[in-house]
């Protein structure tokens, strides 16, 4: 697969109008990897040919590991844990979570969206967005970030709010921490405010990538 043919994948995977950027990885870094790494070129191929979800997910995880310099073995969650430990050792004051590699679960949905975008670019318009990393929320497509909770339940229970005003301002502790309100919240109970999950009932998004396995 030539570098030229891989550019669509490279652009989508490192962030374009419809996909997220990978924190700390620019286009130049990715291009350099692409030019010098045959395995990375091989991974690209999956995204611009006809592939199954399982293949896309598997190749997406490989691509992410290579991009963040994780070598050629192991998985993302292990790498994330190793990087976390390294950061704790280097600076016990604070670990900035956004500087860690993404989780494997989050990468699944990123990869699906990248595949969808690449396919649309090469003229395959037969794919449904809600099967490839998107879900319908309040009449709009929004990206599925992950299908795992942001942290173990015991920790999430510590973050809760007691807003009387619909949780629509930054004073809502949940919103401030980038979390949706939950059952532990005093007033809204995670169902009645603007920061609650409201998913279109017709889309059973959390089973998206396992339904065919
Ligand atoms: C579009 O992509 C899907 C998923 O890989 C594939 O099954 C289908 O054959 C492709 N359609 C066209 C027209 O290329
Ligand atoms: C540790 O991290 C904090 C917060 O980012 C920073 O202010 C501090 O300078 C760091 N300490 C060292 C020794 O790097
Ligand atoms: Zn609130
Ligand atoms: Zn709320």
């Amino acid at each position: 697969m030539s570098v030229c043919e891989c550019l669509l994948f490279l652009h989508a995977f490192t962030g374009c109008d419809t996909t997220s950027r990978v924190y700390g990885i620019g286009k130049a870094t990715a291009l350099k990897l692409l030019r010098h790494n045959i395995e990375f070129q091989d991974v690209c191929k999956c995204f611009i040919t006809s592939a199954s979800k399982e293949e896309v997910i598997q190749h997406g995880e490989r691509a992410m590991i290579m991009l963040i310099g994780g070598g050629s073995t192991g998985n993302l969650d292990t790498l994330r844990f190793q990087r976390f430990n390294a950061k704790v050792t280097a600076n016990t004051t604070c670990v900035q979570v956004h500087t860690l590699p993404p989780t494997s679960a989050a990468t699944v949905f990123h990869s699906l969206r990248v595949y969808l975008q690449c396919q649309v670019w090469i003229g395959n318009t037969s794919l449904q967005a809600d099967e490839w990393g998107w879900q319908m929320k309040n009449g709009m497509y929004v990206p599925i970030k992950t299908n795992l909770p942001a942290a173990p339940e015991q920790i999430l229970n510590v973050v809760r709010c007691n807003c009387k005003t619909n949780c629509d301002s930054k004073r809502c502790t949940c919103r401030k921490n980038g979390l949706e309100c939950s059952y532990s919240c005093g007033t809204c109970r995670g169902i009645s405010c603007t920061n609650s999950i409201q998913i279109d009932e017709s889309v059973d998004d959390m089973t998206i990538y396992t339904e065919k396995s």
Side-chain angles (χ1 to χ4, degrees):
M1 185 102 333
S2 77
V3 168
C4 214
E5 288 172 291
C6 295
L7 288 180
L8 290 181
F9 161 76
L10 196 80
H11 183 43
F13 200 82
T14 53
C16 66
D17 286 353
T18 54
T19 59
S20 310
R21 250 195 86 194
V22 181
Y23 180 84
I25 305 290
K27 309 252 170 207
T29 310
L31 184 59
K32 206 165 150 194
L33 179 69
L34 180 63
R35 292 174 65 179
H36 301 290
N37 190 318
I38 299 200
E39 196 196 343
F40 193 67
Q41 291 171 20
D42 199 50
V43 163
C44 296
K45 190 159 67 185
C46 167
F47 287 79
I48 47 177
T49 52
S50 184
S52 68
K53 272 183 206 170
E54 288 70 25
E55 288 169 319
V56 168
I57 289 167
Q58 189 193 333
H59 286 85
E61 171 139 349
R62 294 281 336 124
M64 189 63 86
I65 291 174
M66 283 187 265
L67 262 186
I68 58 185
S72 58
T73 53
N75 68 53
L76 264 178
D77 288 338
T78 314
L79 186 62
R80 185 174 158 93
F81 185 58
Q82 285 165 353
R83 295 271 170 100
F84 175 78
N85 284 333
K87 280 177 194 288
V88 169
T89 314
N91 186 346
T92 49
T93 323
C94 130
V95 172
Q96 298 196 294
V97 179
H98 63 274
T99 65
L100 295 171
T103 60
S104 187
T107 304
V108 163
F109 295 102
H110 178 69
S111 301
L112 294 177
R113 284 187 291 276
V114 168
Y115 184 79
L116 173 66
Q117 182 59 73
C118 291
Q119 290 298 306
V120 170
W121 278 334
I122 61 175
N124 182 356
T125 51
S126 67
L127 302 177
Q128 297 293 318
D130 55 17
E131 291 197 22
W132 296 89
W134 295 88
Q135 66 187 340
M136 194 57 97
K137 249 188 191 180
N138 305 328
M140 273 192 312
Y141 275 119
V142 292
I144 302 172
K145 293 178 200 157
T146 182
N147 58 354
L148 295 178
E153 204 181 336
Q154 298 91 312
I155 293 179
L156 288 181
N157 282 341
V158 176
V159 181
R160 55 174 176 247
C161 71
N162 206 1
C163 305
K164 303 277 181 280
T165 55
N166 222 7
C167 304
D168 48 11
S169 82
K170 279 272 178 196
R171 286 172 60 199
C172 169
T173 318
C174 300
R175 191 179 282 279
K176 200 164 62 194
N177 284 290
L179 294 170
E180 268 140 357
C181 288
S182 68
Y183 186 70
S184 327
C185 296
T187 307
C188 68
R189 291 276 161 196
I191 38 175
S192 61
C193 69
T194 58
N195 191 39
S196 303
I197 311 177
Q198 285 157 15
I199 295 169
D200 187 331
E201 308 264 294
S202 66
V203 189
D204 188 10
D205 40 85
M206 295 318 177
T207 58
I208 279 174
Y209 76 98
T210 48
E211 71 195 355
K212 281 188 181 157
S213 55

